């Protein structure tokens, strides 16, 4: 396996796949923020509930921002930071560890497979261009 990218511009398919994954993660993080708030209020910790809601919504917003910046060279770095912060949120709400496992696995899978798919597309385009050049000669 090639090393995982931490910084740099990704291919067209790779950045689109990663952006969609972060978009889905943002939606799920916003739902978990609501659940964390509800659980804290049910335990009689209303002030903690508000804090958990804003932390969760902030993380969801950051995930959405990272999704929009995925075309930039630092987009992948922001995506990795979202994954790390999702793992860290497991300290506040233990159920977030499940979300972190699923989305980090998805993130790595899409990063690896997206790079492979971009390489395959580039190879096919090069073959088509060389075939068209040979026909034109």
């Amino acid at each position: 396996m090639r090393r995982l990218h931490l910084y740099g511009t990704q291919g067209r398919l790779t950045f689109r796949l990663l952006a969609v994954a972060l978009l889905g993660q943002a939606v799920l993080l916003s739902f978990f923020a609501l659940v964390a708030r509800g659980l804290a209020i049910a335990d009689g910790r209303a002030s903690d509930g508000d804090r958990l809601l804003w932390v969760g919504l902030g993380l969801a917003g950051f995930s959405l921002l990272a999704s929009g910046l995925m075309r930039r060279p630092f987009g992948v770095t922001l995506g990795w930071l979202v994954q790390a912060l999702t793992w860290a949120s497991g300290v506040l709400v233990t159920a977030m560890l499940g979300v972190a496992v699923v989305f980090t696995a998805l993130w790595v899978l899409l990063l690896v497979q997206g790079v492979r798919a971009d390489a395959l597309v580039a190879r096919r385009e090069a073959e088509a261009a060389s075939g068209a050049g040979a026909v034109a000669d």
Side-chain angles (χ1 to χ4, degrees):
M1 181 172 105
R2 296 182 183 131
R3 69 176 186 87
L4 294 174
H5 297 273
L6 299 177
Y7 180 82
T9 305
Q10 303 301 311
R12 259 185 12 202
L13 186 59
T14 303
F15 87 77
R16 287 178 181 166
L17 289 171
L18 295 176
V20 169
L22 286 174
L23 181 65
Q25 189 170 358
V27 170
L28 198 60
L29 288 171
S30 63
F31 286 137
F32 261 97
L34 293 170
V35 169
R37 179 179 183 261
L39 290 174
I41 290 173
D43 286 342
R45 300 176 294 131
S47 62
D48 284 346
D50 291 340
R51 181 177 51 94
L52 290 172
L53 175 68
W54 289 111
V55 168
L57 289 178
L59 183 56
F62 184 58
S63 180
L64 192 61
L65 176 70
S67 174
L69 294 174
M70 196 51 58
R71 287 185 183 186
R72 308 277 184 208
F74 55 85
V76 173
T77 306
L78 292 177
W80 280 111
L81 187 57
V82 168
Q83 302 311 315
L85 289 173
T86 304
W87 279 97
S89 69
V91 172
L92 300 173
V93 180
T94 310
M96 287 300 291
L97 294 176
V99 174
V101 167
V102 169
F103 276 99
T104 302
L106 182 64
W107 177 261
V108 171
L109 175 72
L110 292 178
L111 188 57
V112 170
Q113 294 300 328
V115 169
R116 285 184 183 172
D118 282 330
L120 180 64
V121 168
R123 188 176 29 193
R124 294 234 171 122
E125 287 175 351
E127 288 173 0
S130 68
V135 171
D137 291 337

